[in-house]
Amino acid sequence: MKTIHNKVCSFGLLGALALTGAAWPRISFAKPADDQKENDRIRNAGTVLNEVLNVPDDIPRDLLHKARCVIVLPSVMKAAFVVGGDYGRGVMVCRTGHDFNGAWGAPTMMALEGGSVGLQIGGEATDLVILVMNNRGADSLLHSKVKLGADASVAAGPKGREAQADTDINMRAEMLSYSRSRGVFAGISLEGTTLRPDGEANRRLYGKNVSASAIIQESKVSAPESAHMLVTTLQEASPHLRS
């Protein structure tokens, strides 16, 4: 009878603990990281930029030295401009400070949408790189959706020796855009597309609501480990802003 009584008491105690939650050990199950997609995108962007800056006819260094920000959108596909999805997503890294003249800082996630760029891209996955050449262009991207060609001027970027021949275009354009598909690197027109900060992706990446301007100009967050190659590549290629 004592054994039965003890079992009844034990079950009663377990039931009470289950109801109150008191002193009951919790089992932790591993969940997929909420920021995995964003970290993968940042790593891919770092790989793309590192490769693009190491081809014979790459982005002219004198243009990179003048750039306030660099946007990398890896593996953009035509489908992104037809049905949307994740294929028009990327990352922007800027020089820190309100005047964009400091060291390269933490990334903000970006989204590219609309326009006729999908027709140019075709069915192949294409890497896009955009240089933001002045403070006005950089500041506008941090605060709102920007329609390229209307809200901000954009031109297909020159590469290698072409930079000297296209000086007038380079001086006028707020952004210079490049593409890489099947190993071929060239300038590309992005007129008609829109660029905007991807606030939801930033929330997942940094674990809190944080604006693009707080990330870039106020340095409110530290760069994630996934941005090491991207930021290091820029810092080594262009450590200082040049006018």
Side-chain angles (χ1 to χ4, degrees):
M1 291 295 293
K2 183 181 289 188
T3 301
I4 295 174
H5 175 74
N6 289 341
K7 287 183 178 180
V8 171
C9 290
S10 297
F11 284 126
L13 178 59
L14 291 174
L17 288 172
L19 290 172
T20 62
W24 186 252
R26 295 182 180 273
I27 300 174
S28 178
F29 296 95
K31 296 188 299 183
D34 194 33
D35 59 356
Q36 186 62 47
K37 187 187 299 183
E38 282 67 41
N39 280 307
D40 287 345
R41 192 170 291 135
I42 292 171
R43 292 188 187 94
N44 291 339
T47 299
V48 167
L49 189 64
N50 185 60
E51 292 173 354
V52 161
L53 292 180
N54 284 285
V55 296
D57 281 335
D58 64 351
I59 297 172
R61 285 299 189 273
D62 63 329
L63 292 181
L64 185 60
H65 293 331
K66 296 174 183 177
R68 274 59 171 178
C69 305
V70 174
I71 303 167
V72 184
L73 300 112
S75 300
V76 175
M77 297 186 71
K78 182 176 181 178
F81 304 95
V82 179
V83 296
D86 292 331
Y87 295 106
R89 299 294 188 266
V91 58
M92 179 170 73
V93 177
C94 299
R95 301 181 194 270
T96 53
H98 287 278
D99 292 326
F100 304 99
N101 58 3
W104 296 96
T108 180
M109 308 306 292
M110 301 293 290
L112 179 74
E113 300 162 331
S116 62
V117 66
L119 300 178
Q120 300 179 64
I121 288 175
E124 303 297 325
T126 300
D127 304 315
L128 300 179
V129 178
I130 304 169
L131 304 185
V132 185
M133 301 305 297
N134 58 30
N135 289 12
R136 180 180 177 277
D139 193 64
S140 62
L141 283 172
L142 294 180
H143 296 95
S144 63
K145 177 186 289 188
V146 174
K147 186 172 184 178
L148 303 184
D151 301 324
S153 58
V154 62
K159 59 189 181 73
R161 298 174 184 175
E162 298 173 11
Q164 295 300 322
D166 293 339
T167 300
D168 290 342
I169 295 176
N170 300 339
M171 293 296 290
R172 291 196 303 267
E174 291 177 291
M175 300 182 200
L176 298 172
S177 49
Y178 298 86
S179 69
R180 184 183 68 164
S181 180
R182 292 184 176 180
V184 178
F185 183 65
I188 186 173
S189 174
L190 295 179
E191 285 196 8
T193 59
T194 60
L195 268 171
R196 63 172 176 83
D198 191 341
E200 182 60 26
N202 279 331
R203 185 197 63 76
R204 290 193 297 267
L205 177 65
Y206 293 110
K208 59 182 178 180
N209 290 321
V210 57
S211 68
S213 60
I215 295 169
I216 300 296
Q217 292 180 305
E218 301 174 35
S219 300
K220 292 290 188 180
V221 293
S222 299
E225 182 277 332
S226 57
H228 177 75
M229 176 181 285
L230 181 60
V231 176
T232 299
T233 297
L234 284 169
Q235 194 62 33
E236 290 178 351
S238 180
H240 305 291
L241 177 68
R242 300 179 190 175
S243 57

